[in-house]
Amino acid sequence: MRGYEVLFAGNNFLRLLGGLWVTIRISLISIGISLVLGVLLGAAMTVRNRAVRAICKIYLEVVRIMPQLVWLFIVFFGITRSTGINLSGEAAAMIVFTIWGTAEMGDLVRGAFISIPKHQYESGLALGLGKAQLYGYVIIPQTIRRLTPNIINLSTRMIKTTALVSLIGVTEVLKVGKQIIDANRYDAPDAALWVYAAIFFMYFIICFPLSVFSKKLSDKFR
Amino acid sequence: MNEDIVIEVKGLKKVFGENVIINGIDLTVRKGETVVLIGPSGCGKSTLLRCLNGLEPIQGGSVFLHGEPVEYGKRSLNKIRQKIGMVFQDYGLFPHMTVLDNVMLAPLKVQKRPKDEVKTEAMALLERVGLGDKAKSYPSQLSGGQQQRAAIVRSLVVNPDIMLLDEITAALDPEMVHEVLNVVLDLAKNGSTMIIVTHEMAFAEAVADRVILMDGGVIVEENPPQKFFHDADTERAKKFLSTFSYSK
């Protein structure tokens, strides 16, 4: 059998798409929760209280310093063993990606907030805007504009990094690909190239429009 | 109470940590008057303006607009600020809105006036400062002088009782300074009440009804422009003015 035939043999392609769906599911859920928690974290990082800011900062640094793979191992193997809670690989993956995504998202939100110049607040106040009006019409719209391209970039990074979860036994698209290649090792030795190329295009099709969109937005908002 | 008095400052004091920025200032501005504040950097003139519409907490004295106290952090401040137009050195236009939307924001959202009426007035004012064709542009597409003129219109459109102009040409190229100051001169001619902080002495002399020199947080001299610029009472004023002329 030729390599490219393996791609469409039996239900192989459907299985790949199934794996892709797992990738998307983990990404979407973690990105969604990270977005909400990240806004809260970002807001917490701009408060006056030093203790609150310090705690947020420590959280951010700890999450950033450790490779995502180590986090996956800690949560999936470590926590499961030590607490006896039986987490599925997918649940562990979502937890880790949410912890990571929240940290990064929080930092983006904080950055966007403090990047709004002081005179924007003062001009709004001087016009007689109330606090809610000031934030609603002036500050938050500008924050969102600065934030959106960065959030999309972070999302594509998170989608790509989900490839790691195959290492804790989640059969996402990469793992499915590996299974297909292994199963056809003898009758189609060059399947690897074709299967991985197909996976490459799958990632590309998801991430490329996002990164084009983000570039468009940041050009528009500049 | 005198109906004519727009702003009244009594014994104003402003302290930043150890530094006394404003050390007891009394100032009265009447309707239709243009007062120009000058003085060396750090003399407290910009801070004084900021205290007048409650952007800074004050540590002593009081500020009244038409007899109503201007108090930092108070709810009543929003109402008072609608009667005070303030223009800043760095324009402060909102970058995510067109020029027209910038101008229409306060009358629509704060004063809740009907949109058609506001739009007509906004366009008329933009035309008046030569920005009629820029209404649909975003601030980043405008030159500094155009942005500053738009910012003036934005403060003007709410029909404030007084305009506070805080070094509005300090960030502009010389040629743009001229176009912006002409707009201000035009306002003065038409009877706007204004307090202007500036370093442009020729402009100050032309526009002012009264010139006030501040130094070290107090008023050093207060005189009509003719007197102030050509026959100042105080040595401090003469010394300050001499820094603007050169001879070889």
Side-chain angles (χ1 to χ4, degrees), chain A residues 118-131 133-134 137-139 141-142 145-146 222, chain B residues 50 53 55 78 81-82 84 86 88 90-97 105-106 109-110 112 140 154:
Chain A
K118 191 170 155 230
H119 69 231
Q120 289 289 314
Y121 291 86
E122 294 191 336
S123 302
L125 289 175
L127 286 174
L129 294 177
K131 205 158 193 191
Q133 289 176 324
L134 175 69
Y137 296 121
V138 179
I139 305 301
Q142 289 188 57
R145 268 150 215 262
R146 287 172 193 224
R222 194 179 11 222
Chain B
R50 295 164 55 80
N53 75 345
L55 284 176
N78 286 344
R81 280 175 175 153
Q82 293 172 37
I84 305 176
M86 183 149 186
F88 300 87
D90 39 20
Y91 334 127
L93 291 175
F94 305 133
H96 60 296
M97 297 180 187
L105 181 67
K109 303 302 179 189
V110 180
K112 313 226 185 277
S140 58
R154 184 175 69 175

Side-chain angles (χ1 to χ4, degrees), chain A:
Chain A
M1 198 160 50
R2 309 294 293 268
Y4 57 85
E5 287 169 334
V6 169
L7 262 187
F8 299 101
N11 57 359
N12 281 356
F13 196 73
L14 265 183
R15 283 178 60 203
L16 275 181
L17 286 182
L20 186 66
W21 171 238
V22 174
T23 297
I24 294 176
R25 192 166 58 205
I26 294 174
S27 309
L28 275 186
I29 292 177
S30 338
I31 291 169
I33 302 175
S34 301
L35 202 56
V36 176
L37 296 181
V39 169
L40 296 178
L41 179 68
M45 287 167 109
T46 55
V47 297
R48 289 232 178 102
N49 189 316
R50 284 189 176 195
V52 173
R53 285 210 314 255
I55 292 168
C56 295
K57 184 87 185 150
I58 291 170
Y59 169 71
L60 175 67
E61 293 303 329
V62 167
V63 170
R64 270 191 177 163
I65 287 167
M66 271 215 269
Q68 282 80 43
L69 190 56
V70 177
W71 276 109
L72 283 171
F73 286 166
I74 288 180
V75 172
F76 185 63
F77 298 115
I79 294 194
T80 317
R81 279 284 163 81
S82 60
T83 63
I85 300 168
N86 192 12
L87 274 181
S88 72
E90 203 174 317
M94 286 177 189
I95 290 172
V96 168
F97 279 88
T98 302
I99 289 174
W100 174 45
T102 300
E104 297 282 0
M105 205 74 82
D107 200 38
L108 293 178
V109 170
R110 180 194 63 86
F113 257 114
I114 61 169
S115 75
I116 308 287
K118 191 170 155 230
H119 69 231
Q120 289 289 314
Y121 291 86
E122 294 191 336
S123 302
L125 289 175
L127 286 174
L129 294 177
K131 205 158 193 191
Q133 289 176 324
L134 175 69
Y135 278 89
Y137 296 121
V138 179
I139 305 301
I140 291 176
Q142 289 188 57
T143 312
I144 292 175
R145 268 150 215 262
R146 287 172 193 224
L147 209 49
T148 316
N150 294 335
I151 287 180
I152 294 173
N153 284 339
L154 175 61
S155 301
T156 58
R157 264 171 70 208
M158 286 173 74
I159 293 170
K160 287 182 287 185
T161 314
T162 54
L164 292 177
V165 303
S166 62
L167 293 166
I168 55 167
V170 179
T171 39
E172 45 68 80
V173 65
L174 201 65
K175 184 81 171 183
V176 175
K178 214 165 157 39
Q179 289 170 348
I180 293 174
I181 293 163
D182 286 345
N184 295 281
R185 175 126 298 164
Y186 294 108
D187 32 311
D190 63 341
L193 177 67
W194 292 93
V195 172
Y196 284 135
I199 293 171
F200 168 87
F201 277 110
M202 286 175 176
Y203 275 114
F204 183 79
I205 285 167
I206 300 174
C207 293
F208 183 66
L210 285 176
S211 81
V212 170
F213 183 53
S214 127
K215 173 141 185 14
K216 277 242 165 79
L217 279 182
S218 57
D219 287 347
K220 189 175 165 217
F221 292 154
R222 194 179 11 222

Side-chain angles (χ1 to χ4, degrees), chain B:
Chain B
M1 194 194 85
N2 192 332
E3 281 292 301
D4 255 10
I5 294 176
V6 179
I7 258 190
E8 192 168 22
V9 179
K10 285 181 188 161
L12 182 67
K13 205 165 178 191
K14 166 81 197 170
V15 182
F16 260 127
E18 299 271 288
N19 299 329
V20 180
I21 310 292
I22 296 178
N23 196 5
I25 279 193
D26 299 297
L27 172 69
T28 304
V29 179
R30 291 169 191 283
K31 196 165 187 297
E33 216 182 1
T34 300
V35 174
V36 170
L37 280 178
I38 59 177
S41 297
C43 70
K45 53 197 193 306
S46 284
T47 310
L48 173 58
L49 274 201
R50 295 164 55 80
C51 292
L52 295 187
N53 75 345
L55 284 176
E56 300 274 350
I58 59 179
Q59 280 71 44
S62 41
V63 177
F64 299 94
L65 180 81
H66 282 307
E68 275 184 81
V70 178
E71 288 169 296
Y72 177 83
K74 281 277 169 67
R75 210 159 241 280
S76 61
L77 206 51
N78 286 344
K79 269 233 154 72
I80 292 174
R81 280 175 175 153
Q82 293 172 37
K83 299 180 197 159
I84 305 176
M86 183 149 186
V87 185
F88 300 87
Q89 177 178 334
D90 39 20
Y91 334 127
L93 291 175
F94 305 133
H96 60 296
M97 297 180 187
T98 62
V99 168
L100 186 61
D101 288 337
N102 262 282
V103 172
M104 288 172 51
L105 181 67
L108 287 183
K109 303 302 179 189
V110 180
Q111 300 181 320
K112 313 226 185 277
R113 282 155 58 189
K115 191 169 178 185
D116 292 342
E117 174 200 309
V118 170
K119 192 169 177 185
T120 313
E121 194 184 336
M123 282 310 296
L125 283 170
L126 285 171
E127 294 285 352
R128 186 169 148 199
V129 302
L131 290 177
D133 57 333
K134 299 289 182 196
K136 293 268 188 279
S137 304
Y138 284 87
S140 58
Q141 299 166 314
L142 269 53
S143 72
Q146 291 170 330
Q147 289 192 49
Q148 196 57 291
R149 280 182 279 155
I152 293 173
V153 167
R154 184 175 69 175
S155 307
L156 214 52
V157 73
V158 294
N159 299 315
D161 295 342
I162 185 164
M163 294 277 283
L164 309 176
L165 310 185
D166 187 9
E167 296 193 34
I168 60 169
T169 58
L172 295 179
D173 289 341
E175 285 184 354
M176 294 174 180
V177 170
H178 200 73
E179 68 187 42
V180 170
L181 294 185
N182 273 333
V183 170
V184 180
L185 273 171
D186 187 47
L187 293 178
K189 250 186 283 174
N190 285 297
S192 292
T193 312
M194 292 188 279
I195 303 180
I196 301 172
V197 169
T198 185
H199 287 294
E200 304 284 335
M201 291 305 134
F203 166 70
E205 186 171 355
V207 79
D209 295 312
R210 187 153 43 113
V211 180
I212 291 176
L213 174 70
M214 279 180 71
D215 193 15
V218 294
I219 292 178
V220 178
E221 175 160 349
E222 186 170 355
N223 261 323
Q226 266 300 326
K227 170 98 175 124
F228 182 85
F229 285 105
H230 303 289
D231 183 22
D233 289 330
T234 60
E235 281 308 308
R236 183 68 190 95
K238 284 177 187 156
K239 191 170 161 234
F240 178 73
L241 289 171
S242 75
T243 61
F244 290 91
S245 54
Y246 299 88
S247 55
K248 203 178 166 187

